[in-house]
């Protein structure tokens, strides 16, 4: 099974691309959805958050008060790291089981929709990295129009993330969302045709004979590691 990491930046259109891929009946593992599920009432992650931040971060119904917790961690990097140390491992475990279920169903391709794919290091563990890109000016204007935010607020939000130009350096495929919706759909259609062709017939062998799937995955990751080291050499010079 071909596991593909999908990422982007604020207002680049990653969610739109994810929806278009879903319309092609490709399974999507959405990290944002899983991040909400792993902190639902009764989960180990929520219990850890309460121990670390106190019961004040809970709503009356026992669910997480995301707005209040967000204000706490936004102003304190140490607290943000503490929260990430709780939530990120739980999300990764949930992603692993979601990928496994896709493989069990015999899917040829699985899309991991992860906003922090690059920052969190998960890009190293996928067969391909897809970055949804748009120009810096468009990326700034979109949240201003959508959220009615000021230029300063929009710039501050963008500055809190890794610049999209840096994310593109990790990409195997770049989908440019600077144009019209029709142009974006055309790029997604072409991408789907490409990955389905690349998935080929070997996915059936991996499904029928799991050890082959493990060997194939290790080979893919090894090849990617080699390519990364070769790309890094010119930058170090």
């Amino acid at each position: 099974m071909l596991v593909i990491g999908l990422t982007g930046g604020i207002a680049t259109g990653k969610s739109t691309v994810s929806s278009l891929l879903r319309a092609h009946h490709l399974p999507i593992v959405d990290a944002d959805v899983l991040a909400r599920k792993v902190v639902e009432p009764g989960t180990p992650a929520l219990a850890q958050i309460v121990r670390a931040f106190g019961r004040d971060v809970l709503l009356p119904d026992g669910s997480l008060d995301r707005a209040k917790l967000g204000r706490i961690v936004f102003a304190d990097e140490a607290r943000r790291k503490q929260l990430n140390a709780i939530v990120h491992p739980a999300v990764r475990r949930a992603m692993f089981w979601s990928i496994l279920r896709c493989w069990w169903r015999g899917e040829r391709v699985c899309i991991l929709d992860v906003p922090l794919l690059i920052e969190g290091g998960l890009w190293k563990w996928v067969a391909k990295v897809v970055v949804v890109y748009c120009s810096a000016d468009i990326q700034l204007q979109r949240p201003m129009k959508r959220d009615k935010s000021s230029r300063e607020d929009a710039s501050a939000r963008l500055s809190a993330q890794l610049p999209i130009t840096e994310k593109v350096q990790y990409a195997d495929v770049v989908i440019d969302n600077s144009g019209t919706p029709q142009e974006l759909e055309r790029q997604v259609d072409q991408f789907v045709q490409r990955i389905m062709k690349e998935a080929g017939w070997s996915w059936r062998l991996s499904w029928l004979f799991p050890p082959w799937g493990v060997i194939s995955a290790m080979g893919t990751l090894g090849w990617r590691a080699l390519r990364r080291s070769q790309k890094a050499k010119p930058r170090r010079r």
Side-chain angles (χ1 to χ4, degrees), residues 66-101:
R66 294 177 176 276
K68 190 167 189 177
L69 183 60
R71 289 192 295 270
I72 293 171
V73 301
F74 184 78
D76 189 330
E77 185 178 357
R79 298 291 267 173
R80 185 162 62 249
K81 289 181 178 178
Q82 186 179 18
L83 177 63
N84 290 342
I86 295 171
V87 175
H88 287 181
V91 172
R92 290 183 182 190
R93 286 192 295 271
M95 289 176 66
F96 171 78
W97 289 112
S98 296
I99 294 169
L100 196 60
R101 283 192 289 271

Side-chain angles (χ1 to χ4, degrees), residues 3-5 112 117 122-129 220-221 224:
V3 180
I4 295 172
L112 300 187
L117 183 79
L122 287 175
W123 65 277
K124 300 175 184 177
W125 302 101
V126 297
K128 287 187 181 297
V129 173
T220 299
L221 295 175
R224 285 183 60 79

